Amino acid sequence: MNNTNSAEEIMDQFTRELFEDLFGPADEKISEIPKIPEKLALEIDALFTSTKDTERTGPVIDLFSRLKKIKKELNISPDAFGISKETLTLLAFKHQHLDEHGVTVGGRVNRALPIVEQANERVADYLKNKDTEAPSGIELWDRIQENVRRIKSILNIDDDEWSSYSGQLRHCIDSVEKLSNIIDLPSQIIEELTRATKSYRMRLTPYYASLIQPDRTNDPVLLQSVPTGEMVDNIGIEMPPVAADHSPARLIDQFYPRVLTIKATNMCAMYCTHCLRIAHIGKKDRIYSDSAYEDALNYIRNNTHIRDVLITGGDAFVLPNRMIKNILKALDDIDHIKMKRLGTRIPVTTPWRVDSELLEILEESNDKKPVRVVTQINTAQEITPISKNAFKRISKSVSAVLNQAVLLKGINDTKVKMWKLCETIQESYVRPYYIFNCSYRNPQFAHFRVPIEKGRDIVESMYGNISGDAIPRYIATAGGKIPLHRSNVVGHEGSDIVMKKPWSGEKVRYPDADPDEYANKNFSFAKN
Ligand SMILES: *Cc1c(COP(=O)(O)O)cnc(C)c1O
Ligand code: SF4
């Protein structure tokens, strides 16, 4: 008896609360104690038996949770099942002592489990809708393979050509006729497309076209690759091409001291309908001269502030392996260059381009100084077993693969679509890096734009709900990348900061560092 008393004295607050829930007075709503149904008695008996002679805590937590629920809902306390307060107290203490981190039974039942339950509620609608609202190319794989069979037979592409970069480029879909042969398009869309392709070049690889779900109006892959009438109607007043005012040397864009881009080609395997560089890309393919590359590299050699070079385009993987190797080698030979990044969409548009020679080149350079590959995936639908495999292989050769998505109306502008994108790419060896608010600079795609705040709500909704490693930064490009996140510091109370948890709105006080101590107090060992 003494034993139990002293035990109760050191019972933590959560366990005391739990015992009040179990043995305290009933909720006012529940007046009479019902007779115990036999089934319930048997259930509790079984639960209780499973807690005996075991060092496992799971059954104990199950028993306490169930008893708590029964007391709350039916006003039947544990004694009614022949389980005394004393017995439960001993059980609670036994398991508190067993626990590696001293977690108490009350802590688990009354705190941890309700917190997890609340957390689960926050993702319930996502889990319910993710596979219908935003199916990945992996989930759609059977249907995509049907598309592949159809496209192969209509365009007369054999297996070897299909699974090769050159075959994919040779058969790329670059006319309205070809597109309407492989996808049944309504006549109104064909008219729009005919009008748009007079001003905009269309090109998609047969593989990328196979991701389009033909029975879906406004398929997100179709919208990214097939120009529409809006692009003609929205043209308005041409603005100067982005970064025309940020090019200190040929092929170079720079607005930061430590990092710049080399636009190493203007070619891409497909042309995106939302391309930021639309003024230079997708009009006419150009082969750049050696002197242009030399100018660019010399600028980098002569500017020792620069440490990180982003090789973009167009699409860096459109360059032949030999050229990629030469550029990386030239950069590796410059002492002040410590990092290289390559921008490419090819793993999602033409994954077969990622050949073993390219991987060796990347790996060799990565051994000298880190190489990162930066890609652009805007929907989970673009991740198939094939592109996932390409990313897996790339990720083994470089130090990281990062994704820069563009927030696009009708394509990825819902919470479910964006969460699904970020989770799917994370599972595909790619780290979500940026989400760009679609730029105002190109009136051609005003119809794709999403308000800043809407995007911010979508990105911020990820905090506390999906892996932190899958949460990108939300950015506006305006002569540099400007973060668009809202501050979670909402006020001050005395010397405390008041913060808001983005996932629950709950406010928490956070004592700030003492500004006086910070500014004036030196480390003891640094005195004198
Ligand atoms: C995007 C970009 C960079 C790289 O920016 P990070 O924030 O380092 O990824 C550098 N220079 C230019 C011109 C760019 O457009
Ligand atoms: S891959 Fe990049 S550069 Fe090429 S068209 Fe698409 S957005 Fe533009």
Side-chain angles (χ1 to χ4, degrees):
M1 216 36 209
N2 249 345
N3 226 344
T4 321
N5 276 343
S6 67
E8 268 186 280
E9 272 163 33
I10 56 158
M11 201 178 251
D12 72 300
Q13 185 204 331
F14 301 140
T15 310
R16 276 203 308 274
E17 281 168 15
L18 175 59
F19 274 81
E20 269 160 36
D21 292 344
L22 290 172
F23 293 99
D27 260 1
E28 274 170 29
K29 284 173 285 176
I30 310 168
S31 51
E32 72 192 69
I33 302 175
K35 210 168 129 344
I36 301 174
E38 195 186 353
K39 215 171 126 216
L40 193 60
L42 289 173
E43 184 200 333
I44 296 301
D45 196 46
L47 278 175
F48 182 59
T49 307
S50 66
T51 65
K52 287 183 186 158
D53 307 319
T54 180
E55 302 234 309
R56 290 192 46 232
T57 301
V60 177
I61 300 301
D62 290 346
L63 174 69
F64 273 92
S65 299
R66 190 74 180 103
L67 287 174
K68 181 182 163 185
K69 190 156 185 259
I70 291 168
K71 169 72 180 172
K72 186 170 166 42
E73 288 174 5
L74 303 173
N75 191 24
I76 303 175
S77 80
D79 318 273
F81 296 100
I83 306 173
S84 69
K85 190 173 182 181
E86 214 175 336
T87 309
L88 287 176
T89 307
L90 289 172
L91 200 56
F93 270 102
K94 175 181 163 195
H95 285 274
Q96 177 178 333
H97 293 306
L98 276 174
D99 193 85
E100 292 71 16
H101 302 282
V103 179
T104 63
V105 170
R108 286 230 156 83
V109 174
N110 268 21
R111 296 292 293 199
L113 286 175
I115 287 171
V116 172
E117 254 169 55
Q118 273 174 24
N120 286 344
E121 274 167 34
R122 295 200 303 267
V123 299
D125 76 308
Y126 170 66
L127 294 180
K128 187 162 142 264
N129 297 320
K130 70 185 177 69
D131 294 352
T132 44
E133 189 178 329
S136 73
I138 296 168
E139 287 145 9
L140 292 169
W141 190 232
D142 286 346
R143 294 173 61 190
I144 291 170
Q145 280 177 300
E146 275 170 42
N147 299 341
V148 170
R149 281 190 286 277
R150 188 184 68 246
I151 295 171
K152 268 167 137 176
S153 105
I154 295 171
L155 298 184
N156 204 7
I157 309 175
D158 67 29
D159 288 349
D160 287 346
E161 283 183 300
W162 183 270
S163 326
S164 82
Y165 179 53
S166 59
Q168 284 286 330
L169 290 191
R170 202 174 317 126
H171 290 282
C172 69
I173 292 140
D174 51 8
S175 69
V176 182
E177 298 72 56
K178 223 167 161 182
L179 185 71
S180 54
N181 280 343
I182 58 159
I183 300 170
D184 209 6
L185 296 168
S187 61
Q188 164 224 347
I189 292 194
I190 294 181
E191 261 171 51
E192 281 278 275
L193 197 52
T194 310
R195 190 160 75 93
T197 47
K198 287 200 179 101
S199 313
Y200 295 98
R201 185 171 171 187
M202 172 175 75
R203 177 159 87 186
L204 54 164
T205 57
Y207 164 79
Y208 197 71
S210 76
L211 310 183
I212 297 170
Q213 296 309 296
D215 54 346
R216 282 193 162 200
T217 48
N218 289 340
D219 177 89
V221 172
L222 181 99
L223 288 174
Q224 287 182 65
S225 50
V226 172
T228 54
E230 286 99 333
M231 292 175 71
V232 184
D233 300 335
N234 287 345
I235 189 76
I237 306 153
E238 277 271 16
M239 287 193 206
V242 173
D245 43 356
H246 287 287
S247 183
R250 265 166 102 183
L251 308 188
I252 301 278
D253 278 354
Q254 183 178 10
F255 28 67
Y256 300 135
R258 303 288 269 157
V259 44
L260 55 65
T261 63
I262 307 181
K263 294 166 288 178
T265 171
N266 79 335
M267 293 185 244
C268 298
M270 78 165 259
Y271 293 110
C272 307
T273 51
H274 54 273
C275 177
L276 197 69
R277 302 189 198 272
I278 202 159
H280 303 288
I281 311 289
K283 288 233 158 78
K284 191 164 172 286
D285 293 345
R286 289 184 62 169
I287 307 284
Y288 298 167
S289 68
D290 289 348
S291 55
Y293 292 110
E294 264 320 300
D295 271 351
L297 287 168
N298 273 332
Y299 179 80
I300 297 168
R301 283 185 192 106
N302 295 334
N303 286 277
T304 53
H305 283 56
I306 300 156
R307 63 179 278 282
D308 181 1
V309 174
L310 190 47
I311 306 162
T312 70
D315 191 310
F317 282 6
V318 163
L319 295 167
N321 285 342
R322 174 186 43 80
M323 278 207 54
I324 295 177
K325 186 176 179 155
N326 290 345
I327 296 175
L328 287 173
K329 168 97 178 40
L331 294 173
D332 283 329
D333 287 344
I334 302 171
D335 273 352
H336 56 271
I337 297 304
K338 312 294 185 194
M339 289 278 315
K340 297 95 43 181
R341 293 188 252 175
L342 294 114
T344 178
R345 246 203 130 172
I346 272 190
V348 287
T349 62
T350 332
W352 295 279
R353 165 67 183 92
V354 183
D355 55 31
S356 48
E357 190 185 58
L358 173 61
L359 295 174
E360 274 166 35
I361 292 166
L362 297 178
E363 195 175 337
E364 201 187 321
S365 179
N366 186 59
D367 271 347
K368 297 192 182 114
K369 298 165 188 178
V371 174
R372 305 210 199 291
V373 166
V374 184
T375 192
Q376 187 200 141
I377 313 162
N378 296 320
T379 58
Q381 194 168 328
E382 290 159 274
I383 292 290
T384 66
I386 304 210
S387 52
K388 179 173 175 172
N389 189 46
F391 284 122
K392 178 160 95 184
R393 293 164 70 230
I394 296 169
S395 74
K396 287 183 188 168
S397 310
V398 301
S399 69
V401 187
L402 306 172
N403 187 50
Q404 305 191 147
V406 188
L407 177 64
L408 297 164
K409 182 175 152 185
I411 292 177
N412 55 18
D413 60 334
T414 69
K415 186 182 99 174
V416 170
K417 288 174 183 171
M418 201 52 102
W419 287 25
K420 180 73 180 277
L421 169 68
C422 291
E423 290 199 341
T424 306
I425 63 178
Q426 190 198 29
E427 291 156 24
S428 307
Y429 306 86
V430 179
R431 163 89 166 83
Y433 177 46
Y434 281 151
I435 288 182
F436 293 121
N437 187 268
C438 187
S439 170
Y440 71 95
R441 288 290 289 265
N442 298 78
Q444 294 95 330
F445 34 74
H447 57 294
F448 276 144
R449 298 198 68 214
V450 177
I452 296 273
E453 302 245 338
K454 165 96 198 217
R456 186 162 75 183
D457 287 344
I458 291 173
V459 178
E460 298 250 320
S461 72
M462 295 181 198
Y463 283 96
N465 292 325
I466 70 173
S467 315
D469 182 56
I471 303 175
R473 275 171 269 173
Y474 180 43
I475 299 286
T477 43
K481 297 180 176 73
I482 301 168
L484 292 171
H485 288 264
R486 93 170 36 92
S487 173
N488 291 309
V489 175
V490 293
H492 298 261
E493 272 175 41
S495 64
D496 289 0
I497 300 282
V498 182
M499 300 184 301
K500 204 168 86 178
K501 295 187 181 180
W503 54 89
S504 63
E506 184 198 341
K507 292 197 178 140
V508 281
R509 283 175 70 148
Y510 184 87
D512 202 3
D514 184 333
D516 224 34
E517 177 159 348
Y518 174 72
N520 302 321
K521 207 169 163 196
N522 216 333
F523 295 115
S524 57
F525 62 75
K527 277 182 186 152
N528 311 313

